[in-house]
Every structure is written in C-alpha cells, then in structure tokens.
Amino acid sequence: MSAPIIDRLALIGVGLIGGSIARAAREYGAVREIVATARSEATRRRVVELGFADRVVETNAEAAKDADLVIVCIPVGASGPVAAEIASSLKPGAIVSDVGSVKNQVLKDMAPHIPPSVNLIPAHPVAGTENSGPDSGFSELFVNRWCILTPAEDADAQAVEKLKAFWTALGANVEVMTAEHHDMVLAITSHLPHLIAYTIVGTAEEFSNVSRSEVLKFSAGGFRDFTRIAASDPTMWRDVFLHNKDAVLEMLAQFNEDLAKLTRAMRRGDGDVLFDHFTKTRAIRRGIVQIGQDSAAPDFGRSHPPKGGGAIPRPYSDE
Ligand code: NAP
C-alpha cells in the first residue's frame, strides 16, 4: 500500500457522510490518523464503540488542532459558526473542507473565519442514502460517485490536488467547478427532486379519499421511491433549501411552467404532447444508466453490504 495522502484527518460531524469518510479513509489507506468529534456526547460515545476513528475528542477546536485536513460534515447552516470555532486551532498549510450539499453560501459563511495561511476548499460528495447518524456510514459510499470541489479562483493549486487525491483514494470521481455552477446544477438534479418528493408524500397523507393503508399497500406504483427520498434528514434538507434558495426558486419556476404545459395537454386530450415529452424523458433515463450512475433495475442496493452487517443501503438520494 502506498503512503497515506493525509497524515492527520479531523472529522467534525460523524453521521452518514463523516462516518463513511472515516471508514473509507481507513480501509483504503488514505490517512494515517483520524480524529473525530460530534456535537452530542451520545454520538461521540457511539463513534468510540464503532471504532472507526483513532481518537474521539470533545470539541471542534480540539479536533482541528494539528490536523492536515479538516472536513466539516455537518448540516450546512452550522458551517459558519463551526469555522469560527476552529479558526484559531488550524495549523498553517492545513486544508479545511466540507461536504455540504450547497456550496456558495457555505463558502461565504466559512471563508471570513479561515486564516490566510490555511486552504479552504469546499467539496460535495454526490453520494448518500436517506439514513443518518454514525451507524449508517459505510466505506463504499463514494465508490464511482462524483465528488465536486469548488475552490475559489485564487485557491492554492497544490492543496486542490491533494484534496482531489484524497477523494480519488476513497473511490470517487472528482470534478472541479465554481460554487455558483454547483448550486445551479444540484438545484435541478437533487434539490428540486427532494422538494417534489417532500410535497407529494405530504399531499398523499392529506388525501382523504384514499385510506392510509391503501397508500402503503399500493406504494410500488411509483410512490415508494418518493417516500424513500422524503425520509431524508429534515435538518439537512431544511438547511439546503434555506441556503440554495435562489437557484431552487429559479428551477421551481421553470418546473411550474413545464407542469402547466403537460396539464394543458392532458386537459385538451393532446396525446402527442404527452407522448413526445415521455419519449424525451425516457432517453434521459437511459443515458443515466449508460454512464453508470444507476442500475437499469428499478430498485437496487450496493453490491457490498456495510461492514459489520446491517441492511444493504437503498439507492442513492443525494445529494
Ligand atoms: P448526519 O448523518 O445527520 O450527521 C450529522 C453530524 O453533524 C452528526 O455527527 C451531528 O452530531 C453533527 N452536527 C449536527 N449539527 C451540528 C452542529 N450544529 N454543530 C456541530 N455538529 C453538528 O448528516 P449527514 O447525512 O452526514 O450530512 C452531513 C452533511 O453532508 C450535510 O451538510 C449534507 O448537506 C451533506 N451531504 C449529505 C448527503 C446525504 O445523502 N445525507 C450527501 C452528500 C452531502 P450529533 O449526532 O451529535 O448531533
């Protein structure tokens, strides 16, 4: 095995994403030492029991101290205060990154606190499940998934390369783009679909002509996949919509226009419009399968179950 890319990795937040990074970094030999922390005593205790970190410490500042790479793996709304908390503990030359599903606002929230001698390079692994907490992580989460880096224009090129090498070692394919572009792309590919899923599941719940048991019984007719997405963490998704508001609202306006077109076609009995639209969307789906971002099967899990047993994770929601 080649030398670790990172000497000391600090993880602030060790839920699904932080817990998966720790497991993957250790399994693939990407780091020499992992120091972890979480907000609650209960999570910190659980991480000690699970044993995927070398040390578990009580505070964010303690975790960041002397780390070569600090990855903040918490809901995006908490990124700014956490950056302020760790600022004075960061060593010169260290890389500070995150995994947030929104990039522009996170960069704005974190950047003012990070000392000039430290490299802030935001990142977003586009991989996830609807599960949360340290037990839900697994080392294969990032394999063959994209990780998007959104460094500022003047970011240190060597630090960007190092972070790229780290994510590549975890199995991810790395792409670099601006934070603004990331937020626009993710608004349509992830954030709007989540908003639709949250809406439709709520609508079904309120639909009084259909009993609850019928909704559950016949859920395989498309509704089931929406329920899985709508089971995603409420804190994380509240923060995503509050922090990527402009891009999501823009996509939502476009979506409403397109929905109105299909509604009009249905009302007028214009089958050609519906058929042409569905033919176009079918081609998009086939394209996604072809480039290996999903299986042709309607419902699938990872080929490798999480280490230490447990259920095979469901398809990927994020993210
Ligand atoms: P998670 O499983 O709920 O874990 C969140 C972790 O953050 C926990 O360790 C939690 O500690 C800690 N935390 C929560 N609030 C905090 C605060 N105010 N200060 C310090 N620590 C705090 O969440 P996750 O799914 O790993 O998501 C983390 C980040 O990854 C989010 O920014 C999300 O946008 C991004 N992301 C998620 C997915 C996905 O599919 N889930 C995919 C890609 C990126 P306690 O347990 O002690 O509360």
Side-chain angles (χ1 to χ4, degrees), residues 59-106:
T59 67
N60 297 334
E62 215 180 326
K65 192 169 181 298
D66 293 329
D68 301 282
L69 170 61
V70 179
I71 309 185
V72 177
C73 310
I74 63 177
V76 291
S79 308
V82 166
E85 226 180 302
I86 61 175
S88 61
S89 310
L90 295 166
K91 77 171 181 187
I95 299 172
V96 173
S97 190
D98 76 318
V99 292
S101 309
V102 174
K103 299 272 58 101
N104 201 22
Q105 188 60 47
V106 169

Side-chain angles (χ1 to χ4, degrees), residues 14-17 39-40 43 74-75 78 99 101 125 127-128 132-133 236 318-319:
V14 268
L16 170 69
I17 302 298
R39 178 179 51 172
S40 69
T43 300
I74 63 177
V99 292
S101 309
S132 308
M236 165 183 159
D318 189 78
E319 321 329 316

Side-chain angles (χ1 to χ4, degrees), residues 36-53:
T37 190
R39 178 179 51 172
S40 69
E41 169 64 33
T43 300
R44 294 196 296 269
R45 206 173 325 117
R46 185 64 188 140
V47 174
V48 172
E49 283 163 11
L50 290 167
F52 57 66

Side-chain angles (χ1 to χ4, degrees), residues 101 124-129 186 190-191 194 236-237 316-319:
S101 309
H124 175 203
V126 188
T129 74
L186 270 288
S190 168
H191 305 170
H194 275 77
M236 165 183 159
W237 283 97
Y316 290 79
S317 60
D318 189 78
E319 321 329 316

Side-chain angles (χ1 to χ4, degrees), residues 69-307:
L69 170 61
V70 179
I71 309 185
V72 177
C73 310
I74 63 177
V76 291
S79 308
V82 166
E85 226 180 302
I86 61 175
S88 61
S89 310
L90 295 166
K91 77 171 181 187
I95 299 172
V96 173
S97 190
D98 76 318
V99 292
S101 309
V102 174
K103 299 272 58 101
N104 201 22
Q105 188 60 47
V106 169
L107 187 60
K108 283 185 185 151
D109 290 349
M110 292 182 80
H113 305 289
I114 304 299
S117 62
V118 171
N119 304 291
L120 174 63
I121 307 169
H124 175 203
V126 188
T129 74
E130 72 274 29
N131 301 318
S132 308
D135 285 87
S136 61
F138 56 103
S139 61
E140 300 91 341
L141 179 63
F142 311 110
V143 175
N144 203 24
R145 299 284 141 184
W146 287 102
C147 182
I148 301 173
L149 308 189
T150 62
E153 245 174 51
D154 59 351
D156 180 78
Q158 267 186 348
V160 174
E161 284 310 313
K162 202 165 198 177
L163 193 61
K164 259 192 202 175
F166 172 78
W167 279 105
T168 303
L170 270 49
N173 305 313
V174 180
E175 181 120 345
V176 176
M177 61 179 73
T178 65
E180 289 80 5
H181 190 68
H182 167 278
D183 288 357
M184 196 51 92
V185 171
L186 270 288
I188 187 64
T189 56
S190 168
H191 305 170
L192 187 57
H194 275 77
L195 191 66
I196 293 167
Y198 280 123
T199 310
I200 203 166
V201 172
T203 306
E205 170 71 19
E206 284 168 23
F207 189 42
S208 55
N209 292 338
V210 179
S211 75
R212 195 152 212 251
S213 62
E214 278 177 307
V215 169
L216 298 178
K217 186 170 160 189
F218 300 115
S219 66
F223 185 68
R224 187 179 56 191
D225 286 343
F226 281 118
T227 61
R228 183 183 53 72
I229 296 173
S232 301
D233 186 65
T235 307
M236 165 183 159
W237 283 97
R238 176 202 62 196
D239 284 8
V240 167
F241 292 119
L242 292 179
H243 289 76
N244 198 22
K245 190 167 63 180
D246 293 345
V248 177
L249 288 177
E250 198 174 322
M251 292 301 164
L252 194 56
Q254 175 70 47
F255 174 82
N256 283 331
E257 276 178 30
D258 294 344
L259 187 61
K261 272 184 222 155
L262 292 182
T263 310
R264 201 178 320 116
M266 228 164 53
R267 198 182 308 113
R268 292 176 178 171
D270 191 341
D272 287 349
V273 168
L274 297 176
F275 185 83
D276 288 351
H277 188 88
F278 301 159
T279 304
K280 214 164 63 187
T281 56
R282 181 182 238 192
I284 293 170
R285 165 68 194 171
R286 289 181 174 165
I288 291 170
V289 172
Q290 257 169 24
I291 61 168
Q293 288 299 301
D294 203 351
S295 139
D299 203 357
F300 77 112
R302 282 272 165 183
S303 53
H304 305 291
K307 294 275 174 303

